[in-house]
Amino acid sequence: MTGLQQSTGISSKSHTGVNDFQLAPVHRFLGCMIGQFHFSPAAQPLAEALLAAEPPEIAASVLNECESEAMLLAAKQILDATLNLAEWDDGVLEAIIPAPVLRGGRVDREALWRWLEEHRKAAAAALDGVADLGTAATHDLLRGRAALSLLGDCWLDTVSQPATQPGVIVNILFGQRWLLLGEGCLTRSCVAMRRRALEAAGIFLPPISDPGFFRAAAADAMTSLQAAFLLSLSRYPATYLPELVGIHAASHALGIDDRVAGLVPIVTREAAWEALDTYLDALNDDPAGETLSRRLVDAMRVFVCQERRQLAMLVERAGQSTDRPLDQQVAEIIRRHAPFAGKQHRRVRIGGKPLSERLVETDQDLASFLQDFKRSGYLLADAKGSCRFLDAIKFRGPMFGIFSEQEASVLKSWFQSVAQTRDEPVVLEPQGQDEPVARLWLDNIRKRRPRDTVFESATGLDDRTLFYRLVNIENFANTLSVALERARAGLSRAEALFNAEAAGQHTDARFFEYSPDALEARIESIYWKKLVDPYAPLGEIPSRDEVVFGQKYYALGNMVDGAWAYRSSGTRCVERIADTALFAIYADEMGLGDLEKNHITLIYRVLESLGIDLPHIREETFIDQDEIPDEFYTFPLNQLSIGLFPNRLYPEILGYNLGVEMFGLGELRLHEIQKLKHWGFDPIYEAVHLSIDNLSAGHARQALTMIQDHLAETERRYDADTCAVEWRRVWNGYASFAYFVEGGTLESSPSVTTDDDAGADHCALTL
C-alpha cells in the first residue's frame, strides 16, 4: 500500500488508529454480524402493504416513517433483496462489474483502488459527453439525478449511536457527516448547495419530506428504488457497517452528483478512501475479518452497478432530449407536477372531469389526459396568438412559477403545434429502458421474506434486557412500542411538576405562559438560584468508596450521552429551524468526529481511572454486569426511549435537551470535580461539561435559543394558539428531565418534590 498512499496522498495514519488511543479503552466496532431481527406479528402485513405501493411511495415511506416498525421490516426486505442482486439479476452484476480481488480473505487495496478509478473515469467521461450536448441535455441529467443527489450521504444519518460509539471508524464517518451538513450551518451543507444548483438550472422541487417529493424528483422507478435502498441502509448502519463503509467510499470515488452540479466535493474521494483504509486496517487482525471484507466488497459492487446503470439510462435520455416528440416532453413535465394538483384546481375540468381527479399514474392515463387537454378550451388560440393555459403560466397568472423556464418553453412549443396535431392520437414511449429491471427488482423485494427474522411481541422485559434492546434497536424493532409507552408515561408523570408549590433543588419545572423574555428569565433564575449561587467548596470529602459509588450512579446515563438527540439529524430532519442547532449540540457531544474529544470516550476514561471495567453497552454480556445496580437503569431507559422518536416527540426533545444542558452547570458538577480530584480520579468528563454547557454561548444557551426559534417559527407558520400548545409540550420535555433529577421514577406514584425534601443524590442521570 505504500506506493498507493504516496500516489494518492492518502495516509491511513492521519486519524487516530484503532489501537493507538491510550487514554481510554477503545471499544472496537467493525459492524454487527447479521443476527436475528425481532418484529411484532402486526408489523408483517403493514410492511407488505407499504411494499405494495409504487417505488416513489416506497421511497417516501422509508424516508418519512422513520419511527415505524413496519418501515424497518420493509427496509430489511429492501436491503436483503438489493444486496443479493446477483441471485436474481441474471448475471448482470458479474457481466458489468467484475469483483475486486479478495486476497487471502482480505481486500486487495491496490486492486480495489484501480477498480474504483476505472469506474470513476468512465462515469466522468459519460458526464462530460452529456455536457457537450448542450444545456437541454445537462438539464435533463440534473433532473434525473435530483432524487439521489438531494439524499446526500443519507446512509450516515445514525451511524453515530449508542451501539456504535465510541469507535474509530464511526468517528471518522461522523466527522465527515458533520462537514457534509455544513458544520452546523445548513446553507453550507452539500444538499443545500446541490439544491441551489438545481434551482439555478430552473429545477424547483418540494422539500424532501414532502410525500410527493419522489414523484416530482425521480423520473423512473429505478431511481426511486435506488433511493429506497440507500435510505434503508440508513436505518441499519450498525448492523450493515461494512456495507456502509464500502458504499460511502464508492459514492465519493465516483463523485457523480457533485460533478453534475458543478460543485467542489466537501468530502473528497481521498478522505472517503481514508475511512475505508482505516476500516480495512482494523479487519486485518479481526476473527470476522474475512466475512466482513466480503460483505464490504459485495456491497460496493452492487452500489457501483446501480450507479453505472442509472447513469447510462440518464445519458441515453439526455442524448435524446432535443429529439423526443413534444408530446413525450410534455408528458414528462405533467408527470412531475401531477402529484401537486389538489383542491385548488377543482374548477379546472379536462375531458369533463376535475383536474384533481385525472390520474396520470400510467402512460395510458397520461396519453388520454394529453389527448383531452389538446381538445380543451384551455389550448384554443386567441387573437393574440396565445391561449388561456399560456396566459395562466405567465407573470401575474395563477400558475406563474409552477413551471421552470425550460418547461415553459417546451409547453409554448407544444401549444404552437396543437393546431396541427389536435386530432392525432397521443402515443408515449415507455418511461425508461430499465423499467423491466425495475419491475424485477421490485418483485424480488416484495416476494423475498427477510432473513433471520423472528415475529414475536416484546413483553415481560426487565430493565436490563430492555436497556440492551433499546441500545440495539436495529435488531429489536418490536421494542419500539415499549419505548414509546415508557417515554409517554414519563412525560405524563412529569406534568405533576407544572403545578408544584415550590421549585426543586436543581430545577424549576413549574409551568408559566411563554414569551421569549419569560423563558429567558426562568432559565437565568434557575442558573443563578439553583446551580451557581448555592455553590461552596465541600468542607469534607466523602470516602473513596462513596465517590466511586456516586460515579457508578451517574455512569449509565453518561454512557448514553446524547442519546436523546442522535436521531434528530436524519435526512428529512433538516428543514425545521432548530434541527441544525440540535444536531450541532449532538455533534459536539461526539467530539465532532475526534475520538479523543468524544464524550463517550471521556466517560470510559473516568471509569478506567476508577478501576471499573465494563463491556460495551451493545454487548449481551452487559446485561449481567455487576458494577451498576438495577435501580440505576430508570433514567437512561427514559433517555433512550425519548430519543427514538425525533418526529413524534420533537418539542419534548427540545425541552429535555434544555434540562440536560442546564444541569451540566454549577454546584453539583463542581462538587464532583472536587471529589474526583481529591482521590486522584480523572475529572475530565465533568470538567468538559462544565465548560461547554455554559449559559453564555455554550450548549445551555444554544438549547434556550433553539426553543425560542422553534416557537417563533411555529407561531409564524400557524398561529398563537398552536404555539401555546407546542410550548406546553416543550416544557413537558424539560419537566420530564426535572422529574428524574428531583427523585421521580416511573415505578413510583407521581409526587412533587420541593426545595425542602429534595436530596443531593437522586436517580442515575446524565451529568
Side-chain angles (χ1 to χ4, degrees):
M1 278 300 293
T2 303
L4 174 61
Q5 290 170 0
Q6 288 175 345
S7 66
T8 61
I10 301 170
S11 171
S12 62
K13 301 303 181 185
S14 59
H15 276 276
T16 304
V18 172
N19 299 309
D20 294 342
F21 190 61
Q22 301 299 324
L23 295 177
V26 173
H27 292 274
R28 288 165 52 108
F29 181 71
L30 304 176
C32 300
M33 300 303 289
I34 303 295
Q36 288 191 320
F37 295 80
H38 298 253
F39 298 93
S40 63
Q44 194 163 12
L46 295 174
E48 290 173 355
L50 189 157
L51 293 174
E54 288 302 302
E57 284 66 47
I58 292 173
S61 294
V62 179
L63 173 65
N64 290 313
E65 298 177 23
C66 61
E67 300 166 7
S68 158
E69 183 184 353
M71 179 280 297
L72 289 171
L73 179 55
K76 181 69 170 60
Q77 287 188 223
I78 292 169
L79 286 173
D80 283 351
T82 307
L83 291 172
N84 291 282
L85 175 69
E87 295 180 7
W88 55 264
D89 203 8
D90 199 24
V92 69
L93 187 62
E94 292 294 339
I96 298 177
I97 310 293
V101 176
L102 281 173
R103 182 180 299 170
R106 297 297 187 270
V107 176
D108 183 331
R109 301 185 207 191
E110 292 193 21
L112 181 59
W113 178 265
R114 289 194 300 270
W115 178 77
L116 286 171
E117 274 292 279
E118 174 189 340
H119 290 290
R120 182 189 68 81
K121 291 176 181 177
L127 294 174
D128 290 344
V130 172
D132 292 341
L133 294 175
T135 304
T138 302
H139 180 278
D140 279 5
L141 181 61
L142 269 169
R143 176 171 283 285
R145 285 293 299 185
L148 299 174
S149 176
L150 295 182
L151 289 182
D153 289 39
C154 64
W155 49 85
L156 297 181
D157 278 359
T158 55
V159 69
S160 173
Q161 56 173 281
T164 63
Q165 288 284 9
V168 174
I169 184 60
V170 170
N171 278 269
I172 294 174
L173 293 171
F174 185 72
Q176 293 183 2
R177 174 162 173 72
W178 169 246
L179 296 176
L180 290 162
L181 286 181
E183 300 178 81
C185 179
L186 183 59
T187 58
R188 294 203 304 259
S189 71
C190 78
V191 169
M193 290 192 290
R194 289 174 183 177
R195 187 176 280 273
R196 287 197 293 272
L198 286 167
E199 291 172 352
I203 301 169
F204 297 90
L205 296 169
I208 195 168
S209 60
D210 191 297
F213 170 78
F214 289 101
R215 278 281 173 194
D220 54 87
M222 282 288 291
T223 301
S224 289
L225 289 176
Q226 192 169 344
F229 165 63
L230 296 176
L231 288 164
S232 296
L233 182 62
S234 78
R235 303 303 179 221
Y236 290 94
T239 306
Y240 290 92
L241 186 63
E243 290 82 357
L244 184 152
V245 172
I247 286 173
H248 183 70
S251 174
H252 287 276
L254 297 179
I256 292 173
D257 290 305
D258 285 331
R259 191 179 184 94
V260 168
L263 299 172
V264 176
I266 293 175
V267 172
T268 64
R269 61 194 177 100
E270 290 81 9
W273 176 271
E274 186 175 349
L276 174 66
D277 205 32
T278 302
Y279 184 75
L280 295 178
D281 280 346
L283 293 184
N284 282 337
D285 60 351
D286 191 273
E290 181 172 356
T291 299
L292 297 176
S293 295
R294 190 169 297 281
R295 284 172 53 187
L296 179 147
V297 168
D298 286 347
M300 293 179 81
R301 292 173 60 217
V302 168
F303 176 77
V304 172
C305 179
Q306 287 179 322
E307 288 287 88
R308 291 293 306 276
R309 175 184 267 163
Q310 201 255 1
L311 184 58
M313 178 182 66
L314 294 180
V315 168
E316 180 178 350
R317 184 182 299 159
Q320 300 168 348
S321 59
T322 57
D323 300 328
R324 292 198 305 277
L326 281 170
D327 282 348
Q328 189 74 34
Q329 295 182 56
V330 171
E332 291 168 5
I333 293 171
I334 291 174
R335 187 181 285 116
R336 287 194 290 268
H337 293 278
F340 308 101
K343 293 180 180 179
Q344 70 272 27
H345 299 106
R346 61 184 179 274
R347 294 184 179 180
V348 178
R349 303 180 73 85
I350 304 294
K353 293 183 179 180
L355 180 61
S356 57
E357 295 180 12
R358 291 296 301 259
L359 300 178
V360 291
E361 294 180 352
T362 68
D363 286 338
Q364 185 176 358
D365 294 334
L366 198 47
S368 173
F369 173 82
L370 287 177
Q371 194 77 66
D372 289 340
F373 193 25
K374 282 184 176 184
R375 295 169 179 167
S376 73
Y378 295 102
L379 292 184
L380 285 177
D382 57 26
K384 298 179 293 183
S386 185
C387 66
R388 290 170 62 190
F389 175 66
L390 288 186
D391 289 343
I393 68 175
K394 292 177 181 176
F395 180 62
R396 294 183 179 175
M399 297 178 69
F400 175 72
I402 291 177
F403 302 104
S404 70
E405 185 177 341
Q406 188 265 347
E407 289 174 330
S409 176
V410 171
L411 291 169
K412 183 177 180 181
S413 298
W414 183 63
F415 159 70
Q416 292 169 346
S417 72
V418 163
Q420 288 75 39
T421 63
R422 191 183 306 275
D423 296 322
E424 295 178 7
V426 174
V427 179
L428 301 179
E429 300 171 2
Q431 284 190 50
Q433 63 176 7
D434 272 350
E435 285 301 302
V437 178
R439 286 294 147 192
L440 181 61
W441 187 1
L442 185 57
D443 287 344
N444 274 273
I445 289 172
R446 289 169 173 167
K447 294 175 182 177
R448 178 182 291 268
R449 287 292 171 261
R451 296 175 177 175
D452 309 307
T453 51
V454 176
F455 292 95
E456 61 182 11
S457 298
T459 57
L461 304 176
D462 60 52
D463 281 358
R464 286 173 176 257
T465 303
L466 178 58
F467 180 84
Y468 170 74
R469 287 187 167 210
L470 295 183
V471 169
N472 295 285
I473 195 66
E474 291 181 16
N475 289 88
F476 297 99
N478 64 344
T479 314
L480 280 169
S481 59
V482 178
L484 183 59
E485 182 180 353
R486 191 177 189 97
R488 284 175 169 166
L491 291 164
S492 177
R493 290 173 183 266
E495 285 192 304
L497 299 183
F498 277 17
N499 300 312
E501 294 180 3
Q505 180 177 353
H506 303 292
T507 65
D508 184 355
R510 292 174 297 175
F511 189 76
F512 60 98
E513 295 301 320
Y514 173 76
S515 74
D517 290 342
L519 176 58
E520 186 114 16
R522 172 64 65 87
I523 295 308
E524 290 202 5
S525 173
I526 294 170
Y527 176 70
W528 291 110
K529 294 180 180 179
K530 302 292 179 184
L531 302 174
V532 176
D533 288 348
Y535 171 71
L538 292 170
E540 182 178 347
I541 304 296
S543 70
R544 185 182 188 280
D545 287 346
E546 287 180 278
V547 173
V548 172
F549 181 79
Q551 283 296 305
K552 289 181 182 180
Y553 206 52
Y554 303 126
L556 200 53
N558 295 337
M559 291 165 80
V560 292
D561 197 356
W564 65 90
Y566 85 92
R567 286 191 168 202
S568 297
S569 62
T571 297
R572 73 179 300 278
C573 298
V574 290
E575 295 166 356
R576 295 167 295 206
I577 196 167
D579 288 334
T580 305
L582 187 58
F583 171 67
I585 286 180
Y586 176 71
D588 235 3
E589 302 282 347
M590 297 301 109
L592 303 179
D594 186 333
L595 185 63
E596 186 175 351
K597 297 175 182 176
N598 185 304
H599 291 192
I600 312 301
T601 299
L602 300 184
I603 189 57
Y604 277 111
R605 269 184 61 176
V606 175
L607 292 174
E608 185 179 41
S609 78
L610 296 167
I612 298 173
D613 183 22
L614 290 169
H616 194 277
I617 58 174
R618 70 173 166 269
E619 302 294 341
E620 194 167 6
T621 52
F622 191 87
I623 295 176
D624 298 320
Q625 61 78 28
D626 57 5
E627 293 281 4
I628 301 173
D630 291 356
E631 57 267 28
F632 294 175
Y633 277 76
T634 305
F635 175 79
L637 283 172
N638 186 67
Q639 184 154 290
L640 287 167
S641 295
I642 197 172
L644 289 172
F645 302 97
N647 296 327
R648 235 177 298 198
L649 300 179
Y650 182 70
E652 289 83 358
I653 287 173
L654 294 183
Y656 187 93
N657 179 65
L658 176 63
V660 172
E661 301 305 340
M662 285 292 295
F663 199 67
L665 306 172
E667 179 187 36
L668 197 149
R669 181 80 68 190
L670 289 164
H671 284 167
E672 286 302 310
I673 292 172
Q674 186 181 357
K675 289 185 284 187
L676 289 166
K677 284 184 174 181
H678 177 84
W679 290 109
F681 299 135
D682 194 336
I684 184 66
Y685 187 85
E686 282 74 14
V688 164
H689 281 82
L690 187 65
S691 173
I692 67 170
D693 289 347
N694 71 83
L695 189 57
S696 175
H699 290 181
R701 171 59 58 181
Q702 294 163 31
L704 168 62
T705 301
M706 76 175 71
I707 289 173
Q708 293 171 324
D709 289 344
H710 173 67
L711 292 173
E713 182 180 43
T714 300
E715 184 166 6
R716 185 168 58 251
R717 286 188 174 185
Y718 303 101
D719 52 43
D721 290 342
T722 303
C723 181
V725 172
E726 192 80 350
W727 159 243
R728 187 177 182 88
R729 292 184 61 186
V730 168
W731 199 243
N732 192 190
Y734 173 84
S736 73
F737 178 80
Y739 184 73
F740 283 95
V741 168
E742 306 298 351
T745 68
L746 290 178
E747 287 71 36
S748 63
S749 59
S751 62
V752 177
T753 306
T754 66
D755 285 323
D756 296 331
D757 58 14
D761 290 327
H762 305 288
C763 59
L765 44 86
T766 296
L767 280 179

